[in-house]
Amino acid sequence: MTRVFSGMQPSGDPHLGNLLGAIALWVAEATHAESLFCVVDLHSITFPQDPRDLRARTLDLTATFLAMGLDPERSILFLQSQVPAHRELAWLLECTASYGELQRMTQFKDKSSRGEFVSAGLFTYPTLMAADILAYDADQVPVGDDQRQHIELTRDLALRFNARYGETFVVPTGVYRTSGARIMDLQHPERKMSKSLDSPQGTILLSDDDAAIARKVKRAVTDADTDVRYDPEAKPGVSNLLSLLAACTDSTPESAAAGFERYGDLKAAVAEAVVEFVRPVRSRRAELLDDPTHLLTILADGAVRADAIAAPIVRRAEDAMGFLLRRGI
Ligand code: TRP
Protein backbone atom coordinates (compact mmCIF):
# COMPACT_ATOMS: atom_id res chain seq x y z
CA MET A 1 0.00 0.00 0.00
CA THR A 2 1.21 3.51 -0.79
CA ARG A 3 2.16 5.40 2.33
CA VAL A 4 1.39 9.10 2.30
CA PHE A 5 2.88 11.60 4.73
CA SER A 6 1.55 15.13 5.06
CA GLY A 7 2.69 17.84 7.43
CA MET A 8 1.26 21.20 8.29
CA GLN A 9 2.51 23.84 10.68
CA PRO A 10 0.18 25.00 13.44
CA SER A 11 0.76 28.57 12.43
CA GLY A 12 -2.52 30.15 13.44
CA ASP A 13 -6.13 30.48 12.54
CA PRO A 14 -6.66 28.26 9.48
CA HIS A 15 -8.00 30.06 6.43
CA LEU A 16 -10.11 28.94 3.53
CA GLY A 17 -7.05 28.48 1.31
CA ASN A 18 -5.71 25.82 3.71
CA LEU A 19 -9.08 24.17 4.08
CA LEU A 20 -10.01 23.95 0.43
CA GLY A 21 -6.49 23.48 -0.86
CA ALA A 22 -4.45 21.15 1.29
CA ILE A 23 -6.71 19.80 4.00
CA ALA A 24 -9.73 18.90 1.86
CA LEU A 25 -7.52 17.09 -0.61
CA TRP A 26 -5.62 15.18 2.04
CA VAL A 27 -8.77 14.10 3.78
CA ALA A 28 -10.30 12.96 0.49
CA GLU A 29 -7.21 10.93 -0.36
CA ALA A 30 -6.90 9.40 3.07
CA THR A 31 -9.54 6.89 2.09
CA HIS A 32 -7.28 5.10 -0.36
CA ALA A 33 -3.82 5.26 1.13
CA GLU A 34 -2.09 4.59 4.38
CA SER A 35 -1.94 8.18 5.55
CA LEU A 36 -0.08 10.02 8.25
CA PHE A 37 -1.09 13.57 9.15
CA CYS A 38 1.49 15.32 11.21
CA VAL A 39 1.02 18.64 12.93
CA VAL A 40 4.61 19.80 12.65
CA ASP A 41 4.82 21.80 15.84
CA LEU A 42 8.62 21.52 16.06
CA HIS A 43 8.83 23.42 12.80
CA SER A 44 6.96 26.29 14.42
CA ILE A 45 9.71 27.32 16.80
CA THR A 46 12.25 28.59 14.28
CA PHE A 47 11.12 32.01 15.43
CA PRO A 48 10.41 32.72 19.12
CA GLN A 49 6.93 31.57 20.15
CA ASP A 50 4.53 32.47 22.88
CA PRO A 51 4.05 29.05 24.54
CA ARG A 52 0.35 29.64 25.13
CA ASP A 53 -0.08 30.48 21.50
CA LEU A 54 1.71 27.39 20.30
CA ARG A 55 -0.44 25.20 22.54
CA ALA A 56 -3.65 26.80 21.31
CA ARG A 57 -2.67 26.64 17.65
CA THR A 58 -1.64 23.03 17.90
CA LEU A 59 -5.00 22.02 19.35
CA ASP A 60 -6.72 24.23 16.83
CA LEU A 61 -5.12 22.58 13.81
CA THR A 62 -5.84 19.14 15.27
CA ALA A 63 -9.49 20.07 15.70
CA THR A 64 -9.59 21.51 12.19
CA PHE A 65 -8.34 18.29 10.60
CA LEU A 66 -11.00 16.35 12.47
CA ALA A 67 -13.71 18.89 11.71
CA MET A 68 -12.87 18.57 8.02
CA GLY A 69 -13.70 14.90 8.24
CA LEU A 70 -10.38 13.22 8.88
CA ASP A 71 -11.01 9.81 10.41
CA PRO A 72 -8.37 9.28 13.11
CA GLU A 73 -8.96 5.54 13.12
CA ARG A 74 -8.17 5.07 9.46
CA SER A 75 -5.40 7.65 9.32
CA ILE A 76 -2.77 8.51 11.85
CA LEU A 77 -3.13 12.04 13.19
CA PHE A 78 -0.32 13.06 15.51
CA LEU A 79 2.04 15.72 16.77
CA GLN A 80 5.61 15.81 15.56
CA SER A 81 6.88 16.70 19.06
CA GLN A 82 5.29 13.56 20.55
CA VAL A 83 7.26 11.13 18.41
CA PRO A 84 11.01 11.16 19.14
CA ALA A 85 11.99 9.81 15.71
CA HIS A 86 11.72 13.23 14.09
CA ARG A 87 14.34 14.83 16.30
CA GLU A 88 16.55 11.75 16.35
CA LEU A 89 16.69 11.40 12.61
CA ALA A 90 17.08 15.14 12.06
CA TRP A 91 20.60 15.10 13.51
CA LEU A 92 21.67 12.20 11.32
CA LEU A 93 20.38 14.09 8.31
CA GLU A 94 21.98 17.36 9.38
CA CYS A 95 25.24 15.49 9.13
CA THR A 96 24.26 14.19 5.71
CA ALA A 97 23.29 17.57 4.26
CA SER A 98 25.92 20.10 3.31
CA TYR A 99 26.11 23.65 4.59
CA GLY A 100 26.03 24.91 1.01
CA GLU A 101 22.87 23.09 0.04
CA LEU A 102 21.02 24.39 3.08
CA GLN A 103 22.24 27.88 2.28
CA ARG A 104 20.69 27.60 -1.17
CA MET A 105 17.19 26.97 0.16
CA THR A 106 15.06 29.87 -1.05
CA GLN A 107 12.79 29.70 1.99
CA PHE A 108 15.81 30.15 4.24
CA LYS A 109 17.07 33.03 2.16
CA ASP A 110 13.68 34.77 2.31
CA LYS A 111 13.05 34.24 5.98
CA SER A 112 16.57 34.91 7.21
CA SER A 113 16.62 38.23 5.44
CA ARG A 114 13.45 39.29 7.25
CA GLY A 115 14.05 38.45 10.90
CA GLU A 116 16.68 40.13 13.02
CA PHE A 117 17.30 36.91 14.96
CA VAL A 118 18.10 34.02 12.64
CA SER A 119 18.03 30.77 14.59
CA ALA A 120 20.16 27.79 13.68
CA GLY A 121 16.85 25.92 13.46
CA LEU A 122 15.70 28.13 10.62
CA PHE A 123 18.79 27.01 8.77
CA THR A 124 18.37 23.29 9.48
CA TYR A 125 14.57 23.34 9.05
CA PRO A 126 14.76 21.32 5.80
CA THR A 127 16.63 18.46 7.45
CA LEU A 128 13.91 18.17 10.09
CA MET A 129 11.37 18.06 7.29
CA ALA A 130 13.39 15.36 5.55
CA ALA A 131 13.42 13.43 8.84
CA ASP A 132 9.62 13.71 9.07
CA ILE A 133 9.26 12.04 5.73
CA LEU A 134 12.10 9.51 5.77
CA ALA A 135 11.24 8.24 9.25
CA TYR A 136 8.09 6.66 7.82
CA ASP A 137 9.31 5.18 4.55
CA ALA A 138 6.77 7.51 2.98
CA ASP A 139 6.18 6.99 -0.74
CA GLN A 140 4.26 10.16 -1.41
CA VAL A 141 4.29 13.60 0.11
CA PRO A 142 1.47 15.92 -0.94
CA VAL A 143 2.64 19.51 -0.58
CA GLY A 144 2.19 22.94 -2.07
CA ASP A 145 4.37 24.04 -4.90
CA ASP A 146 6.44 26.21 -2.55
CA GLN A 147 7.82 23.02 -0.94
CA ARG A 148 9.37 21.63 -4.10
CA GLN A 149 12.93 22.50 -3.13
CA HIS A 150 12.50 20.89 0.29
CA ILE A 151 11.21 17.69 -1.26
CA GLU A 152 14.09 17.61 -3.72
CA LEU A 153 16.50 18.00 -0.82
CA THR A 154 14.77 15.15 1.02
CA ARG A 155 15.23 12.92 -2.00
CA ASP A 156 18.88 13.94 -2.37
CA LEU A 157 19.54 13.19 1.29
CA ALA A 158 17.87 9.79 1.06
CA LEU A 159 19.89 8.90 -2.02
CA ARG A 160 23.15 10.15 -0.50
CA PHE A 161 22.54 8.27 2.75
CA ASN A 162 21.69 5.10 0.86
CA ALA A 163 24.81 5.44 -1.29
CA ARG A 164 27.06 5.98 1.74
CA TYR A 165 25.61 3.53 4.21
CA GLY A 166 23.59 1.07 2.17
CA GLU A 167 19.90 0.92 1.28
CA THR A 168 18.14 2.48 4.25
CA PHE A 169 15.52 4.98 3.17
CA VAL A 170 12.65 4.94 0.73
CA VAL A 171 13.13 7.82 -1.71
CA PRO A 172 9.83 9.72 -1.58
CA THR A 173 7.96 11.48 -4.35
CA GLY A 174 6.48 14.93 -3.97
CA VAL A 175 2.88 15.19 -5.08
CA TYR A 176 2.22 18.75 -6.10
CA ARG A 177 -1.35 19.84 -6.16
CA THR A 178 -2.81 20.28 -9.55
CA SER A 179 -6.36 19.48 -8.58
CA GLY A 180 -7.95 20.95 -5.50
CA ALA A 181 -8.61 24.58 -5.17
CA ARG A 182 -5.94 27.20 -5.42
CA ILE A 183 -7.60 30.00 -3.55
CA MET A 184 -6.25 33.49 -3.98
CA ASP A 185 -6.47 36.56 -1.76
CA LEU A 186 -9.84 38.29 -2.24
CA GLN A 187 -8.21 41.71 -2.33
CA HIS A 188 -5.10 40.70 -4.28
CA PRO A 189 -6.19 37.85 -6.55
CA GLU A 190 -2.73 37.59 -8.08
CA ARG A 191 -1.37 36.05 -4.87
CA LYS A 192 -2.33 33.03 -2.82
CA MET A 193 -4.59 33.46 0.21
CA SER A 194 -2.21 33.37 3.13
CA LYS A 195 -2.13 34.29 6.77
CA SER A 196 1.26 35.85 6.53
CA LEU A 197 0.33 38.49 4.00
CA ASP A 198 -1.51 40.66 6.44
CA SER A 199 -4.55 41.10 4.25
CA PRO A 200 -7.43 40.55 6.69
CA GLN A 201 -10.06 41.61 4.16
CA GLY A 202 -8.67 39.25 1.56
CA THR A 203 -8.45 36.20 3.82
CA ILE A 204 -11.43 34.19 5.01
CA LEU A 205 -10.68 32.54 8.33
CA LEU A 206 -12.35 29.49 9.74
CA SER A 207 -13.15 31.62 12.78
CA ASP A 208 -14.98 34.29 10.74
CA ASP A 209 -18.70 34.43 11.43
CA ASP A 210 -21.27 34.29 8.63
CA ALA A 211 -21.57 38.07 8.40
CA ALA A 212 -17.80 38.56 8.16
CA ILE A 213 -17.56 35.95 5.41
CA ALA A 214 -20.37 37.55 3.42
CA ARG A 215 -18.81 40.99 3.82
CA LYS A 216 -15.38 39.84 2.63
CA VAL A 217 -16.85 38.10 -0.42
CA LYS A 218 -18.97 41.10 -1.33
CA ARG A 219 -15.97 43.41 -1.15
CA ALA A 220 -13.73 41.10 -3.16
CA VAL A 221 -12.06 42.82 -6.08
CA THR A 222 -13.43 41.88 -9.49
CA ASP A 223 -12.20 42.76 -12.94
CA ALA A 224 -12.71 45.56 -15.40
CA ASP A 225 -15.41 44.16 -17.71
CA THR A 226 -18.64 42.64 -16.50
CA ASP A 227 -18.92 39.10 -17.82
CA VAL A 228 -18.66 36.10 -15.55
CA ARG A 229 -16.29 33.51 -16.94
CA TYR A 230 -13.36 31.47 -15.70
CA ASP A 231 -10.16 32.95 -17.06
CA PRO A 232 -7.48 33.25 -14.36
CA GLU A 233 -5.14 35.21 -16.63
CA ALA A 234 -7.50 37.87 -17.85
CA LYS A 235 -9.94 37.83 -14.95
CA PRO A 236 -8.13 36.84 -11.75
CA GLY A 237 -10.70 38.27 -9.34
CA VAL A 238 -13.78 36.67 -10.89
CA SER A 239 -11.93 33.43 -11.52
CA ASN A 240 -10.99 33.24 -7.87
CA LEU A 241 -14.64 33.68 -6.88
CA LEU A 242 -15.55 30.89 -9.28
CA SER A 243 -12.85 28.65 -7.79
CA LEU A 244 -14.28 29.30 -4.35
CA LEU A 245 -17.80 28.56 -5.52
CA ALA A 246 -16.67 25.39 -7.23
CA ALA A 247 -14.66 24.16 -4.25
CA CYS A 248 -17.52 24.76 -1.84
CA THR A 249 -20.14 23.13 -4.06
CA ASP A 250 -18.06 20.29 -5.46
CA SER A 251 -18.10 21.42 -9.06
CA THR A 252 -15.60 22.96 -11.48
CA PRO A 253 -14.94 26.69 -11.88
CA GLU A 254 -15.95 26.53 -15.55
CA SER A 255 -19.34 25.00 -14.86
CA ALA A 256 -19.85 27.17 -11.77
CA ALA A 257 -19.82 30.20 -14.08
CA ALA A 258 -22.97 29.12 -15.91
CA GLY A 259 -26.03 31.25 -15.40
CA PHE A 260 -24.42 34.33 -13.88
CA GLU A 261 -24.92 37.60 -15.70
CA ARG A 262 -23.62 40.02 -13.12
CA TYR A 263 -20.90 40.18 -10.51
CA GLY A 264 -23.44 40.98 -7.82
CA ASP A 265 -25.30 37.71 -8.35
CA LEU A 266 -22.07 35.76 -8.44
CA LYS A 267 -20.88 37.30 -5.19
CA ALA A 268 -24.17 36.55 -3.47
CA ALA A 269 -23.92 32.92 -4.55
CA VAL A 270 -20.29 32.66 -3.48
CA ALA A 271 -21.01 34.22 -0.10
CA GLU A 272 -23.82 31.74 0.50
CA ALA A 273 -21.76 28.75 -0.63
CA VAL A 274 -18.77 29.69 1.52
CA VAL A 275 -20.98 30.36 4.55
CA GLU A 276 -22.66 26.97 4.11
CA PHE A 277 -19.33 25.25 3.69
CA VAL A 278 -17.64 26.89 6.65
CA ARG A 279 -20.54 26.75 9.12
CA PRO A 280 -20.49 23.03 9.95
CA VAL A 281 -16.69 22.90 9.98
CA ARG A 282 -16.53 25.87 12.31
CA SER A 283 -19.10 24.49 14.72
CA ARG A 284 -17.59 21.01 14.75
CA ARG A 285 -14.19 22.55 15.42
CA ALA A 286 -15.63 24.58 18.29
CA GLU A 287 -17.19 21.44 19.80
CA LEU A 288 -13.90 19.59 19.54
CA LEU A 289 -11.99 22.46 21.11
CA ASP A 290 -14.42 22.36 24.04
CA ASP A 291 -12.99 19.00 24.98
CA PRO A 292 -9.18 19.21 24.83
CA THR A 293 -8.83 15.94 26.72
CA HIS A 294 -10.56 14.12 23.90
CA LEU A 295 -8.23 15.75 21.36
CA LEU A 296 -5.19 14.83 23.46
CA THR A 297 -6.40 11.23 23.60
CA ILE A 298 -6.72 11.05 19.82
CA LEU A 299 -3.23 12.56 19.48
CA ALA A 300 -1.76 10.13 22.00
CA ASP A 301 -3.18 7.22 20.06
CA GLY A 302 -1.78 8.68 16.84
CA ALA A 303 1.65 9.16 18.41
CA VAL A 304 1.78 5.54 19.57
CA ARG A 305 0.92 4.30 16.09
CA ALA A 306 3.34 6.71 14.40
CA ASP A 307 6.10 5.74 16.82
CA ALA A 308 5.59 2.07 16.03
CA ILE A 309 6.39 2.80 12.38
CA ALA A 310 9.14 5.37 12.83
CA ALA A 311 11.22 4.03 15.71
CA PRO A 312 12.42 0.91 13.86
CA ILE A 313 13.28 3.00 10.80
CA VAL A 314 15.44 5.32 12.89
CA ARG A 315 17.16 2.28 14.49
CA ARG A 316 17.81 0.98 10.98
CA ALA A 317 19.46 4.29 10.03
CA GLU A 318 21.52 4.38 13.23
CA ASP A 319 22.66 0.83 12.68
CA ALA A 320 23.59 1.59 9.06
CA MET A 321 25.68 4.55 10.20
CA GLY A 322 27.55 2.48 12.74
CA PHE A 323 25.88 3.37 16.02
CA LEU A 324 25.65 0.53 18.48
CA LEU A 325 22.02 -0.14 19.20
CA ARG A 326 21.00 -0.46 22.81
CA ARG A 327 20.76 -4.12 23.78
CA GLY A 328 17.25 -5.44 23.77
CA ILE A 329 16.05 -3.35 20.82
N1 TRP B 1 7.56 22.74 5.42
C1 TRP B 1 6.17 22.41 5.22
C2 TRP B 1 5.39 23.68 4.93
O1 TRP B 1 5.79 24.75 5.37
C3 TRP B 1 5.59 21.72 6.42
C4 TRP B 1 6.20 20.39 6.65
C5 TRP B 1 7.08 20.04 7.61
C6 TRP B 1 5.96 19.22 5.88
N2 TRP B 1 7.39 18.73 7.53
C7 TRP B 1 6.74 18.18 6.47
C8 TRP B 1 5.18 18.94 4.76
C9 TRP B 1 6.76 16.91 5.95
C10 TRP B 1 5.19 17.64 4.25
C11 TRP B 1 5.98 16.64 4.83
O2 TRP B 1 4.36 23.60 4.31
Side-chain angles (χ1 to χ4, degrees):
M1 185 137 60
T2 308
R3 186 176 287 154
V4 181
F5 186 99
S6 325
M8 190 177 277
Q9 281 200 42
S11 50
D13 206 344
H15 60 74
L16 211 54
N18 303 136
L19 295 184
L20 296 174
I23 300 180
L25 220 68
W26 294 355
V27 170
E29 300 209 325
T31 53
H32 56 77
E34 186 180 355
S35 319
L36 293 129
F37 293 88
C38 183
V39 176
V40 292
D41 49 0
L42 295 172
H43 274 113
S44 290
I45 59 164
T46 51
F47 289 96
Q49 287 293 316
D50 174 346
R52 263 174 317 188
D53 239 36
L54 180 59
R55 246 171 243 130
R57 289 168 170 192
T58 303
L59 280 177
D60 197 349
L61 185 56
T62 304
T64 302
F65 273 122
L66 296 169
M68 283 289 286
L70 183 84
D71 178 349
E73 314 251 307
R74 293 187 75 149
S75 310
I76 302 181
L77 175 64
F78 70 106
L79 303 185
Q80 187 186 28
S81 61
Q82 292 187 351
V83 178
H86 300 256
R87 277 171 273 188
E88 294 168 349
L89 192 54
W91 174 248
L92 309 190
L93 295 174
E94 276 172 58
C95 296
T96 308
S98 79
Y99 186 73
E101 79 196 324
L102 293 181
Q103 250 179 338
R104 285 192 293 277
M105 293 288 123
T106 53
Q107 190 167 306
F108 173 70
K109 287 196 253 183
D110 287 353
K111 294 198 171 172
S112 59
S113 62
R114 270 187 258 146
E116 63 269 30
F117 178 82
V118 179
S119 68
L122 188 66
F123 186 66
T124 58
Y125 179 110
T127 52
L128 178 61
M129 176 162 165
D132 298 340
I133 298 166
L134 300 182
Y136 294 90
D137 284 348
D139 303 293
Q140 294 186 357
V141 188
V143 277
D145 210 41
D146 59 337
Q147 296 298 309
R148 220 174 255 275
Q149 204 185 17
H150 289 156
I151 299 294
E152 286 309 311
L153 178 78
T154 303
R155 292 170 53 84
D156 289 347
L157 295 180
L159 290 166
R160 189 176 307 154
F161 193 104
N162 289 349
R164 278 189 192 159
Y165 305 112
E167 269 324 293
T168 305
F169 294 124
V170 170
V171 182
T173 313
V175 181
Y176 304 98
R177 280 191 287 284
T178 49
S179 67
R182 187 173 154 82
I183 304 299
M184 314 303 271
D185 188 289
L186 295 174
Q187 292 299 318
H188 305 277
E190 67 291 346
R191 58 191 207 195
K192 255 185 13 179
M193 189 178 282
S194 156
K195 283 174 288 244
S196 52
L197 288 176
D198 200 24
S199 170
Q201 292 312 312
T203 311
I204 295 177
L205 301 174
L206 185 48
S207 58
D208 282 341
D209 61 22
D210 293 355
I213 294 174
R215 190 166 3 92
K216 289 179 184 181
V217 171
K218 293 200 170 134
R219 293 191 187 151
V221 301
T222 45
D223 312 294
D225 59 21
T226 56
D227 48 327
V228 175
R229 69 191 150 82
Y230 184 69
D231 182 349
E233 292 287 311
K235 301 179 68 72
V238 170
S239 299
N240 189 36
L241 291 173
L242 289 169
S243 297
L244 267 175
L245 183 57
C248 291
T249 55
D250 234 344
S251 79
T252 64
E254 290 82 2
S255 59
F260 291 108
E261 304 283 327
R262 295 187 333 214
Y263 290 165
D265 299 339
L266 172 64
K267 284 182 168 178
V270 173
E272 191 186 323
V274 174
V275 162
E276 292 304 321
F277 175 84
V278 169
R279 191 184 287 136
V281 182
R282 186 177 57 214
S283 72
R284 178 88 188 106
R285 179 181 72 149
E287 273 168 37
L288 287 159
L289 285 172
D290 266 348
D291 188 357
T293 309
H294 175 61
L295 290 174
L296 290 170
T297 308
I298 290 175
L299 289 171
D301 175 64
V304 169
R305 287 154 65 206
D307 191 56
I309 300 172
I313 295 172
V314 177
R315 300 290 88 78
R316 186 166 90 207
E318 290 173 340
D319 185 40
M321 266 184 140
F323 291 106
L324 299 177
L325 299 187
R326 202 167 73 195
R327 257 193 91 185
I329 293 186

